[in-house]
């Protein structure tokens, strides 16, 4: 995967497909490769641009703290380097906070956005959760840290379903041999960005069409966070999956891929 210079750091990125450019911004701890099964569907209609955010994967993992504004500027620099004046955006979790800042700081670059499991500010529980994520990263073996993340993001329905349960176990085993392990320094920087993200008062500035989407059983970024974001953005709509958690886009992948594809084509 190619690497380019943006906002003072090296960013790894990828491009697949053809059509309108679609920037995909992943969440905390995750590399751009996590979009793989979504890109496989969306690349029929869009040129999908993925990246490893600052602090993870083969992008630089400098000392933090990071901010979501800084990470939005990383994305803006990537778009400039690729000569993409306007894009559609899908941001997942931390990626949704980066997308919010991208629309606030660089509105001319945004056509429309999908904000997955977003938040506009943190309460005390959210701050503690992100801090505990760093604590676990410091103390746990990779498999145990992977289990902690799975406990945060998957709903009861996934744990009860045999195929999904087996896939989660396999992914925990793979964590031990992952060559793109996130450093504690990188996670600490990203967690700081998540904790300090506070833009609720600025969201009314976003005039582009926005779809806010999530899971009603999300214990990581609860439903109140998504509804607050949707209520603050003038031209937004909200869709929440019944019985799904933070990983609703895996738990309902067929519906999600088609739903987002259709929404982006019409916005």
């Amino acid at each position: 995967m190619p690497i380019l210079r943006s906002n003072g750091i090296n960013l790894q990125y990828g491009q697949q497909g053809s059509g309108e450019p679609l920037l995909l911004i992943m969440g905390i701890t995750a590399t751009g490769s996590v979009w793989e099964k979504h890109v496989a569907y969306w690349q029929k209609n869009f040129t999908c641009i993925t990246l490893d955010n600052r602090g993870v994967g083969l992008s630089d993992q400098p000392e933090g703290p990071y901010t979501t504004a800084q990470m939005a500027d990383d994305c803006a620099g990537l778009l400039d380097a690729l000569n993409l004046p306007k894009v559609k955006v899908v941001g997942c979790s931390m990626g949704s906070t980066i997308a919010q800042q991208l629309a606030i700081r660089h509105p001319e670059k945004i056509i429309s956005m999908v904000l997955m499991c977003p938040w506009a500010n943190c309460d005390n529980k959210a701050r503690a959760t992100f801090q505990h994520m760093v604590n676990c990263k410091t103390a746990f073996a990779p498999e145990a840290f992977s289990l902690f993340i799975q406990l945060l993001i998957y709903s009861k329905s996934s744990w009860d379903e045999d195929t999904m349960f087996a896939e989660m176990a396999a992914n925990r085993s793979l964590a031990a041999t992952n060559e793109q392990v996130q450093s504690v320094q990188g996670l600490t920087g990203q967690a700081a960005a998540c904790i300090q993200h506070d833009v609720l008062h600025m969201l009314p500035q976003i005039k582009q069409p926005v779809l806010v989407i999530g899971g009603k059983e999300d214990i990581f970024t609860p439903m109140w966070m998504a509804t607050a974001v949707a209520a603050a953005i003038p031209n937004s709509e909200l869709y929440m999956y019944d019985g799904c958690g933070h990983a609703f886009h895996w738990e309902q992948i067929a519906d999600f891929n088609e739903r987002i594809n259709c929404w982006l084509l019409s916005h």
Side-chain angles (χ1 to χ4, degrees):
M1 301 289 279
I3 292 177
L4 56 73
R5 196 78 178 164
S6 173
N7 197 27
I9 64 167
N10 294 313
L11 282 182
Q12 177 174 261
Y13 73 97
Q15 294 186 84
Q16 293 176 254
S18 59
E20 284 188 284
L22 175 62
L23 177 65
L24 305 175
I25 314 174
M26 190 34 73
I28 190 168
T29 78
T31 64
S33 63
V34 177
W35 290 110
E36 179 183 8
K37 290 187 178 180
H38 306 308
V39 167
Y41 194 92
W42 298 335
Q43 67 181 352
K44 295 176 290 185
N45 298 111
F46 301 97
T47 300
C48 298
I49 302 116
T50 59
L51 74 151
D52 290 351
N53 289 311
R54 171 187 297 257
V56 76
L58 295 181
S59 291
D60 286 346
Q61 301 188 38
E63 185 176 357
Y66 312 154
T67 69
T68 53
Q70 180 186 42
M71 298 170 87
D73 289 350
D74 295 344
C75 291
L78 171 65
L79 297 179
D80 289 342
L82 297 177
N83 195 29
L84 296 172
K86 280 184 174 289
V87 296
K88 299 183 177 186
V89 179
V90 180
C92 180
S93 193
M94 182 186 74
S96 79
T97 69
I98 297 168
Q100 291 164 47
Q101 288 280 23
L102 190 61
I104 291 165
R105 296 170 66 81
H106 306 277
E108 73 285 353
K109 297 184 181 296
I110 307 299
I111 300 169
S112 61
M113 296 195 305
V114 177
L115 302 179
M116 301 165 57
C117 38
W119 67 96
N121 52 16
C122 284
D123 62 1
N124 288 335
K125 183 179 180 182
R127 294 186 192 97
T129 300
F130 285 117
Q131 183 55 57
H132 191 54
M133 188 181 293
V134 176
N135 298 342
C136 291
K137 178 72 172 179
T138 303
F140 289 176
E143 299 96 319
F145 181 71
S146 177
L147 174 59
F148 170 67
I149 297 298
Q150 290 175 346
L151 288 166
L152 281 180
I153 68 174
Y154 287 103
S155 69
K156 174 176 167 53
S157 62
S158 290
W159 290 94
D160 289 345
E161 202 278 313
D162 290 344
T163 300
M164 183 70 81
F165 183 73
E167 288 179 1
M168 286 191 283
N171 287 336
R172 292 196 298 274
S173 297
L174 288 173
T177 58
N178 184 359
E179 295 180 356
Q180 295 187 28
V181 171
Q182 185 177 35
S183 67
V184 173
Q185 178 169 288
L187 177 56
T188 301
Q190 289 190 347
C194 293
I195 290 169
Q196 296 302 321
H197 182 69
D198 187 2
V199 300
L200 187 63
H201 62 293
M202 292 188 280
L203 293 184
Q205 299 175 26
I206 299 175
K207 306 304 181 186
Q208 295 89 341
V210 175
L211 172 62
V212 177
I213 189 166
K216 291 183 180 179
E217 304 303 319
D218 190 344
I219 63 169
F220 186 13
T221 57
M223 187 172 173
W224 71 262
M225 291 180 160
T227 56
V229 169
I233 298 175
N235 192 17
S236 70
E237 53 188 288
L238 176 68
Y239 185 85
M240 302 296 291
Y241 283 98
D242 289 327
C244 290
H246 197 72
F248 66 91
H249 52 294
W250 291 111
E251 295 175 328
Q252 293 290 340
I253 188 168
D255 181 273
F256 173 77
N257 282 347
E258 176 61 15
R259 184 179 299 276
I260 300 308
N261 189 70
C262 290
W263 190 89
L264 290 169
L265 286 173
S266 60
H267 295 84

